[in-house]
Amino acid sequence: MDKSNEYIRFDWAIKHLLREKSNFEILEGLISVLLGQDVKIEEILESKSDSINETCTFTSFYLQARIGADQYALFRIQVIRQLFYLKRLTERTCTIVQDVPSICQLDKLTTHQKVYSISILYCEFGEGDDYVYRGTTEFKGIHTGTDLIVRTKEDGVIISHLPSQVFPEYFLIRVNAYDKIPETPLEEWMAYLKTGSVKENTKAPGLQRVKEKLKVLSMTKEERQAYFRHVDNIMVQNDVLDTAREEGRAEGLAEARAEGTAEEKLEIAKNLITLGLSDEAIIQSTGISTEQLHSLRAQ
């Protein structure tokens, strides 16, 4: 590989680089491609529920952005390597709604602002034949099949909306499910999310900026050492998950408590400890006891 064209992976960059205003254009590109509209980030918003997990299993934060000329929206970006994400996704939705009043400090923000939840998943998440899913809320009459129209008060005026225009909207990006040669802007983004690769002649929004700002060779020696440790941890995690699939454990070790020998479970638990997973996640994934886990951590 030409080291001069080696780019910092997204899952590292979003922890350490993409929250800087000078790099907003990269995230703007990803969001614009997903929504199919031009998006400009106004500000990264701090929240008590923000999480930057240095063990690389979970990262999340809010941002406020303008869509098109005058529509403003609140986004929660989440990068996930943890198992059992469905429960977390549900919890985070409630958190978004609860946190909006406390973080809406800009004049352009209102409590009626549309909320988007974008989850970039580097873990197993159900089954499907696509790598990006979009979810909205609809209310249909059980007898007529017609849509319910909801009303909100905005700037003193009653406005009618479809529920999908008001309630949170979800994007689930299943990075590991992508296995195509990139041709469209979205596919180019998927390739970058998965491997850190960017096409030489890319025109995809945001990826041109990746090529300018996120070269591995631009990092300091200390940053490169930390970065390559991160990449090594990812490789270990992927090996653990691949092994789990080969041995018949569905959903990334979720059935490990029912299958395999005690020795296999302990070995898997050791790997998950190395990856920084929580005690709860390790116990749920492997079925080992709390005492066994404490003994492994003490070694």
Side-chain angles (χ1 to χ4, degrees):
M1 176 185 291
D2 183 355
K3 293 295 183 182
S4 66
N5 292 325
E6 187 175 354
Y7 304 109
I8 300 169
R9 291 174 58 102
F10 181 86
D11 47 6
W12 169 271
I14 199 167
K15 293 174 183 290
H16 303 281
L17 300 170
L18 299 189
R19 292 160 63 97
E20 299 173 6
K21 191 168 185 178
S22 60
N23 291 326
F24 279 1
E25 188 177 339
I26 295 172
L27 277 179
E28 289 170 352
L30 172 60
I31 300 171
S32 296
V33 167
L34 286 174
L35 268 63
Q37 301 179 73
D38 185 49
V39 173
K40 295 295 180 184
I41 297 173
E42 296 285 324
E43 188 173 346
I44 299 293
L45 301 172
E46 298 302 326
S47 163
K48 63 184 179 181
S49 61
D50 280 354
S51 176
I52 304 296
N53 185 323
E54 290 303 325
T55 61
C56 85
T57 59
F58 183 76
T59 302
S60 69
F61 57 87
Y62 290 114
L63 61 86
Q64 189 259 341
R66 186 179 71 250
I67 303 175
D70 55 8
Q71 179 187 353
Y72 290 87
L74 186 67
F75 292 83
R76 186 171 186 86
I77 310 296
Q78 302 157 121
V79 176
I80 311 295
R81 286 189 177 276
Q82 292 178 332
L83 305 174
F84 311 112
Y85 177 60
L86 183 60
K87 181 174 183 291
R88 181 180 286 274
L89 178 63
T90 305
E91 293 171 346
R92 292 294 168 179
T93 304
C94 298
T95 301
I96 293 172
V97 176
Q98 292 171 354
D99 280 358
V100 167
S102 65
I103 65 177
C104 289
Q105 299 173 351
L106 301 179
D107 293 339
K108 296 167 185 174
L109 285 167
T110 73
T111 55
H112 300 294
Q113 191 168 222
K114 180 65 179 285
V115 172
Y116 293 88
S117 172
I118 299 176
S119 299
I120 303 169
L121 305 171
Y122 290 87
C123 56
E124 295 301 312
F125 192 85
E127 298 180 9
D129 58 3
D130 209 332
Y131 46 86
V132 178
Y133 287 84
R134 185 173 188 171
T136 59
T137 300
E138 295 181 342
F139 292 107
K140 297 280 188 180
I142 63 173
H143 300 104
T144 63
T146 58
D147 290 298
L148 174 70
I149 304 298
V150 297
R151 294 182 175 86
T152 62
K153 188 175 183 179
E154 302 174 20
D155 298 325
V157 179
I158 302 298
I159 306 294
S160 297
H161 298 283
L162 289 169
S164 60
Q165 297 173 301
V166 178
F167 285 79
E169 187 166 333
Y170 303 89
F171 287 89
L172 300 178
I173 303 175
R174 301 170 66 230
V175 176
N176 295 341
Y178 177 75
D179 60 357
K180 304 173 70 174
I181 297 175
E183 296 181 359
T184 68
L186 177 56
E187 289 173 350
E188 289 189 41
W189 259 103
M190 292 301 301
Y192 173 59
L193 292 175
K194 186 171 184 178
T195 67
S197 62
V198 181
K199 288 177 64 173
E200 182 63 31
N201 60 345
T202 183
K203 296 293 193 297
L207 291 184
Q208 304 99 318
R209 194 68 171 171
V210 168
K211 297 182 67 174
E212 296 172 10
K213 301 282 288 185
L214 299 187
K215 288 189 175 182
V216 171
L217 288 182
S218 68
M219 306 170 82
T220 66
K221 179 180 178 180
E222 292 74 17
E223 288 171 338
R224 282 198 299 272
Q225 289 174 340
Y227 172 70
F228 287 124
R229 285 196 299 270
H230 165 81
V231 173
D232 287 343
N233 284 338
I234 290 172
M235 297 303 104
V236 172
Q237 180 184 24
N238 289 341
D239 286 345
V240 170
L241 294 176
D242 288 342
T243 299
R245 294 188 194 99
E246 292 169 2
E247 294 176 353
R249 298 179 182 84
E251 297 298 319
L253 307 180
E255 295 180 2
R257 79 172 62 205
E259 297 183 49
T261 66
E263 291 77 12
E264 289 174 332
K265 293 178 183 179
L266 291 174
E267 189 62 32
I268 291 170
K270 290 178 184 178
N271 288 328
L272 296 182
I273 290 173
T274 301
L275 295 174
L277 268 68
S278 68
D279 288 0
E280 179 184 3
I282 294 173
I283 291 171
Q284 288 180 337
S285 299
T286 63
I288 68 173
S289 68
T290 302
E291 292 74 18
Q292 286 175 308
L293 178 57
H294 291 168
S295 177
L296 290 176
R297 287 196 180 279
Q299 292 179 7

